[in-house]
Amino acid sequence: MAGHTQNEITIAAPVDLVWDMTNDVESWPQLFSEYASAEILSTEGNKTTFRLTMHPDDNGTVWSWVSERETDRDTLSVKARRVETGPFAYMNIRWQYEEVPEGTRMVWTQDFEMKPDAPVDDAWMTDNINRNSKVQMALIRDRIEQAAERRRVPTLTD
């Protein structure tokens, strides 16, 4: 059995700002609450290979892995996958952005499967990803909306 999640959020900010902030992997520790560091290992064209390291979990374990992302600005999409899969047999992620009247809709779709000897199964991980994605997306939304407000040019009516 494989796991599949899809989560979305609308951010009251222009798509260019949302795209730029969410695809600046080096700044992810300031955008996401779960990452302690993001180290760029290589960049080739639109493909970036990087190491993410999380803050220690409740047991003091620090999780780290290598992923790669390939951005496509023309289609407002990103394909990503874990290179070092850890407990996953595979983990593929798609980020999709869409301009909407309220700002930018961002959708994360994750397809994965846990290894047979992983400490959790696909159902547990699906629930965990769904729960955590909502938290991280709300945090990202708030941080991007704050950045958008700081960049807003005052008008004569302000």
Side-chain angles (χ1 to χ4, degrees):
M1 182 182 142
H4 172 84
T5 66
Q6 184 166 318
N7 291 278
E8 68 178 69
I9 197 162
T10 298
I11 303 168
V15 71
D16 287 337
L17 180 61
V18 176
W19 176 269
D20 290 346
M21 288 184 71
T22 59
N23 286 295
D24 180 5
V25 174
E26 283 181 304
S27 74
W28 279 8
Q30 290 77 48
L31 196 59
F32 292 80
S33 64
E34 61 191 344
Y35 300 136
S37 67
E39 175 190 3
I40 304 299
L41 302 176
S42 68
T43 303
E44 298 175 31
N46 292 334
K47 185 184 289 186
T48 302
T49 304
F50 56 98
R51 174 172 295 283
L52 286 176
T53 303
M54 297 183 80
H55 294 289
D57 66 17
D58 292 339
N59 299 319
T61 303
V62 175
W63 298 94
S64 181
W65 63 90
V66 173
S67 290
E68 66 181 22
R69 289 172 61 82
E70 189 163 358
T71 60
D72 185 338
R73 182 65 177 86
D74 292 338
T75 63
L76 294 174
S77 65
V78 177
K79 291 180 184 174
R81 70 178 186 92
R82 282 194 182 202
V83 177
E84 291 178 2
T85 58
F88 294 92
Y90 63 88
M91 166 62 87
N92 298 316
I93 306 169
R94 181 170 171 83
W95 293 38
Q96 188 69 48
Y97 304 79
E98 178 186 3
E99 287 186 88
V100 295
E102 301 84 9
T104 304
R105 185 169 73 108
M106 182 174 67
V107 181
W108 294 348
T109 305
Q110 294 174 267
D111 291 296
F112 61 91
E113 188 172 341
M114 303 308 296
K115 290 179 179 173
D117 62 346
V120 298
D121 63 13
D122 294 338
W124 185 96
M125 187 56 71
T126 298
D127 289 342
N128 185 61
I129 289 171
N130 279 328
R131 199 170 33 256
N132 189 52
S133 291
K134 288 172 181 49
V135 170
Q136 295 304 314
M137 288 179 125
L139 183 60
I140 290 167
R141 178 200 60 215
D142 294 348
R143 289 178 174 169
I144 293 174
E145 288 178 356
Q146 290 167 5
E149 183 62 28
R150 286 192 302 272
R151 293 175 188 201
R152 191 172 71 87
V153 177
T155 64
L156 293 176
T157 59
D158 285 346

